[in-house]
Amino acid sequence: MMDLAALVRLAESSGASDLHLEPGLPAAMRVRGALRLSGEPLPARDLLETARNLLPPDLWGEFQQRRSADLSRTIAGVRCRINILHSARGVGFAIRLLASFQATVEKLNLHPSLKKLVQNPHGLVLVSGPTGSGKSSTLAALIQEINLTETRHILTIESPIEYTFRPRRAYIRQREVGRDTPSFEQALLDALREDPDVIMVGEMREPETMRLTLSASETGHLVLGTLHSATCAEALNRIVSAFPAEIQNSVSAQLADCLVAVISQRLRYRADLNIRVPECEILIATHAVRNFIRNRDFFKLATALETGADQGMWTYQRYQTWLDKRTNWSFPTQEAEPPDTEPAEAEAVVPAAATPSPRAAPPTPAATVPPRIEIEVEESEFGKILKPPGV
């Protein structure tokens, strides 16, 4: 019988970022961007039974109607983002293995200037890039930066929750679409009545989500969101183009007024370091950039990036030069940091017994010192991407 926990452990030990399971095919692991097959073909009956064990009864009925389901679970001590889907062969899985190290700007080998972007009291910060480029990890690092330095109310809206935060200085609420709220749109409407200082929107796909995100950033909130696009200009153009032609001028003006910055990133494998590092293009909303956006002259943003080094902008080429000169790198340690799981969330029950993650011993209470709230972050692509194979 198929052992999902064993497959997840194998993927983790191989340094994989993703695990794909399909009836009649061997398990496939994505290691440093390339797929590797492992083992014998998987029986369709075992995959179906595994899906039944992972999905609660209410989600199973929804899965039968939608033919897909998204959830996050801890399997064999590894937090996973799971998409269960119907295909021509039966029920399959696409599993993203989330890293166990704490996401910070330093640990992700990002430029320290990104910390300045979340010091703004309001506005919109976009993180864009192709699938698997580490957008969620960068977003988590920015949230972590706020959490460590400022006393602000942070509200995250995700589908599903990829990171479990515990507050240090910030007050953090996390809502999962489908479990805590029916949609991104409803959660954003609710957010305006929940007194947040910072709102994190996991995905900006639908025009209504984009509209509410822009409105929230105009009403005194700092909003962080992600988009799928290759460049900063493409990300902004995609937002405007998502709306009907008759209102695109007003959307462009709204976007120009609320924008703080756009980060577009991709991953490059460094053979000398045996890790993949992020390369970024960073666009800062200067007066010239705002005018280009307002007039929908997105093609002129490339010139602004080239000439905007003094304003903190980075082209991919200039960022690569900085990476080539960098000497202090952060490497994942062999001993994984303890995961930060919600107390109410138990490890996922799968057909074969999974090894539960070890729990830390309760701290010894001090009589005169009040308890301190700690945070450890569970995050996304970079943990497995940065981890050398075989570790």
Side-chain angles (χ1 to χ4, degrees), residues 116-126 146 150 152 196-199 213-224 254-261 285 290:
K116 299 179 182 178
L117 303 182
V118 293
Q119 294 175 0
N120 293 272
H122 54 80
L124 176 65
V125 177
L126 294 174
I146 299 173
E150 299 185 52
R152 301 165 85 174
D197 299 301
V198 180
I199 303 173
T213 300
L214 292 175
S215 298
S217 61
E218 281 189 321
T219 53
H221 306 92
L222 177 64
V223 182
L224 291 78
Q254 189 178 17
L255 180 59
D257 290 338
C258 68
L259 186 68
V260 172
R290 294 182 193 276

Side-chain angles (χ1 to χ4, degrees), residues 306-359:
E306 290 286 351
T307 60
D310 293 340
Q311 286 80 34
M313 301 194 206
W314 291 85
T315 62
Y316 279 124
Q317 184 176 5
R318 194 158 57 239
Y319 200 93
Q320 288 173 8
T321 303
W322 174 75
L323 287 175
D324 292 337
K325 295 179 180 178
R326 181 170 182 168
T327 57
N328 56 327
W329 296 95
S330 176
F331 295 92
T333 58
Q334 292 188 359
E335 295 182 2
E337 297 178 18
D340 188 23
T341 54
E342 288 288 345
E345 182 181 352
E347 179 141 334
V349 178
V350 296
T355 303
S357 58
R359 294 183 179 273

Side-chain angles (χ1 to χ4, degrees), residues 53-54 59 82 84 94 261 290 304 345 381 388:
N53 279 275
L54 286 176
L59 281 183
I82 306 172
I84 308 176
R290 294 182 193 276
E345 182 181 352
E381 295 94 341

Side-chain angles (χ1 to χ4, degrees), residues 239-297:
I239 292 177
V240 175
S241 300
F243 293 88
E246 59 269 18
I247 64 170
Q248 287 184 4
N249 286 335
S250 61
V251 171
S252 299
Q254 189 178 17
L255 180 59
D257 290 338
C258 68
L259 186 68
V260 172
V262 184
I263 306 165
S264 182
Q265 68 181 52
R266 60 195 184 193
L267 295 175
R268 179 163 66 108
Y269 175 65
R270 292 284 299 264
D272 56 328
L273 304 173
N274 198 28
I275 59 174
R276 298 176 79 188
V277 297
E279 294 179 345
C280 297
E281 180 182 76
I282 304 174
L283 178 71
I284 305 298
T286 61
H287 290 297
V289 168
R290 294 182 193 276
N291 286 332
F292 292 151
I293 298 172
R294 190 173 287 108
N295 297 326
R296 297 165 61 188
D297 293 331

